[in-house]
Amino acid sequence: MMNSPDRLTIIRERLTQALSPEKLEVIDDSQHHVGHAGASTGMGHYSVIIKSPQFLGKSLVESHRLIYQALGNLMETDIHALRITILQD
Amino acid sequence: MTIRQTIEKQLSENPVVLYMKGTAAFPQCGFSGKAVYLLRQCGVDFMAVNVLEDDDIRQGIKDYGNWPTIPQLYVNGQLIGGSDIMQQLYDSGELHKILSKAHA
């Protein structure tokens, strides 16, 4: 498990690599969840705001799946919760 | 019965199923709480499955829908999404439409 700044960097890297986003913002929300059951594991809460040509013509479920797939094992080891906002044109 | 069969049975017998952390009365996570709230706003009956009571279901539902997070909303056996998608569909009025078809 990584520390928080490293996690943000690797989340950005993986999403950039997989989805070539036109816009990407990754926010660490973990401090808002201190004391909550999921926070005690040391895993983080994050928000992703993203726009990518790869989402064109895809359903919301398919688009979110692409994000989860890009993050891969981080969803098991480092990310407790992920809020996803997909920006449209 | 395998976990997959258990899930298939839940989905075939219930038009609206929410896999969540905690119960509808006492959600154990903010995202699950939001999902319950949105379904209540739409005024539909739904089956809530508390994944915290059963580790096999908790992992099984992630594998079943190829979706790594909880909550998950299923309508007529189809994965609609997690709480972010539910919120987006609610805001656009689409969630009402999807749910009204489920109970038709």
Side-chain angles (χ1 to χ4, degrees):
Chain A
M1 194 145 56
M2 293 163 281
N3 70 33
S4 220
D6 287 350
R7 265 190 207 148
L8 274 180
T9 306
I10 198 158
I11 290 170
R12 277 196 204 99
E13 279 173 4
R14 288 203 185 176
L15 293 175
T16 302
Q17 207 161 20
L19 299 170
S20 319
E22 295 157 22
K23 282 185 195 152
L24 175 64
E25 198 176 342
V26 184
I27 301 160
D28 187 346
D29 296 325
S30 302
Q31 74 278 8
H32 300 307
H33 299 271
V34 174
H36 150 290
S40 63
T41 61
M43 291 162 71
H45 288 68
Y46 298 92
S47 294
V48 168
I49 300 159
I50 186 167
K51 182 177 181 187
S52 162
Q54 302 217 25
F55 300 142
L56 288 176
K58 293 207 169 61
S59 71
L60 286 168
V61 165
E62 290 167 331
S63 302
H64 282 226
R65 254 192 211 121
L66 288 178
I67 292 170
Y68 292 135
Q69 278 161 10
L71 296 172
N73 67 321
L74 292 176
M75 293 303 301
E76 306 284 335
T77 57
D78 287 82
I79 300 172
H80 173 70
L82 187 68
R83 179 167 286 162
I84 296 172
T85 307
I86 292 176
L87 300 176
Q88 318 277 351
D89 280 316
Chain B
M1 208 161 32
T2 66
I3 287 301
R4 190 176 175 86
Q5 286 168 332
T6 303
I7 291 168
E8 279 169 352
K9 187 164 186 288
Q10 288 167 341
L11 295 179
S12 66
E13 291 175 355
N14 301 278
V16 183
V17 184
L18 182 68
Y19 293 88
M20 64 176 291
K21 293 181 179 173
T23 62
F26 295 102
Q28 301 282 312
C29 152
F31 297 97
S32 289
K34 183 162 99 173
V36 169
Y37 172 80
L38 292 172
L39 290 176
R40 292 225 167 108
Q41 289 297 106
C42 293
V44 293
D45 289 328
F46 60 95
M47 179 197 193
V49 178
N50 181 2
V51 302
L52 298 180
E53 284 181 347
D54 187 335
D55 269 344
D56 290 336
I57 291 278
R58 185 177 183 168
Q59 186 56 46
I61 194 62
K62 292 179 182 181
D63 297 336
Y64 181 82
N66 185 23
W67 195 264
T69 57
I70 309 288
Q72 295 184 20
L73 175 67
Y74 276 83
V75 177
N76 292 339
Q78 294 293 311
L79 175 63
I80 303 302
S83 61
D84 292 328
I85 290 182
M86 287 175 69
Q87 180 74 60
Q88 199 170 335
L89 295 173
Y90 178 80
D91 292 343
S92 69
E94 198 65 25
L95 191 60
H96 279 89
K97 284 186 208 158
I98 293 168
L99 291 168
S100 64
K101 279 184 212 150
H103 283 279

